[in-house]
Amino acid sequence: MARVKFGKVTRARRKRWIKRAKGYYGTKKSSYKKAHEQVVRSMAYAFVGRKLRKRDFRSLWIVRINAAVRPHGMSYSKFMNGLKLAGIEVNRKMLSELAINEPKQFEGIIATAKKSLAK
């Protein structure tokens, strides 16, 4: 059988994968093969997670806007339609921040949306 040598490059490459697996449980942190498999899978989950985070935050902003608009006798969808008709282009993140930090200004925006719906 042929002799197998593991040179600097191979060792360095394997070490890199092991280093990325730091903090994993059991064989996943020490065995090259298992570490490599787990790190690749973790990277895939991380990629998906970054996409899901955007989705989660958008739904959070919508819930906050809806909660702020309800006491004024409007629903979220009617409020957003009123903003569109009024020509106000403010994204949901900023609307949610206004609803939390600047309630008086947000009430002004709600009044504008109501007027544009009434027309």
Side-chain angles (χ1 to χ4, degrees):
M1 204 159 156
R3 177 172 164 225
V4 179
K5 289 176 69 178
F6 293 108
K8 291 179 186 176
V9 178
T10 306
R11 193 175 317 111
R13 186 177 63 244
R14 290 181 179 185
K15 230 172 143 179
R16 261 196 313 269
W17 284 104
I18 295 285
K19 198 179 258 187
R20 288 179 190 156
K22 185 179 177 188
Y24 292 173
Y25 182 79
T27 320
K28 293 177 193 174
K29 69 178 168 207
S30 53
S31 165
Y32 164 72
K33 186 177 179 181
K34 294 295 177 188
H36 181 266
E37 287 172 357
Q38 188 58 49
V39 169
V40 168
R41 186 171 290 137
S42 298
M43 287 175 167
Y45 284 134
F47 180 83
V48 171
R50 287 193 295 276
K51 307 300 168 202
L52 290 174
R53 183 172 55 209
K54 292 166 181 60
R55 211 182 294 173
D56 292 343
F57 268 104
R58 184 182 167 95
S59 65
L60 174 70
W61 299 328
I62 289 170
V63 167
R64 285 178 176 173
I65 294 166
N66 192 21
V69 164
R70 288 282 174 178
H72 299 281
M74 288 183 86
S75 68
Y76 167 78
S77 60
K78 287 199 173 105
F79 173 66
M80 292 309 281
N81 186 29
L83 288 183
K84 190 174 181 182
L85 293 173
I88 298 172
E89 291 183 16
V90 182
N91 64 19
R92 285 158 183 81
K93 181 180 179 180
M94 290 300 113
L95 283 171
S96 122
E97 287 296 315
L98 278 173
I100 293 167
N101 300 324
E102 304 287 338
K104 294 291 180 194
Q105 289 179 353
F106 190 71
E107 284 175 20
I109 293 172
I110 293 171
T112 309
K114 275 186 179 177
K115 282 179 194 171
S116 63
L117 281 174
K119 287 182 185 176

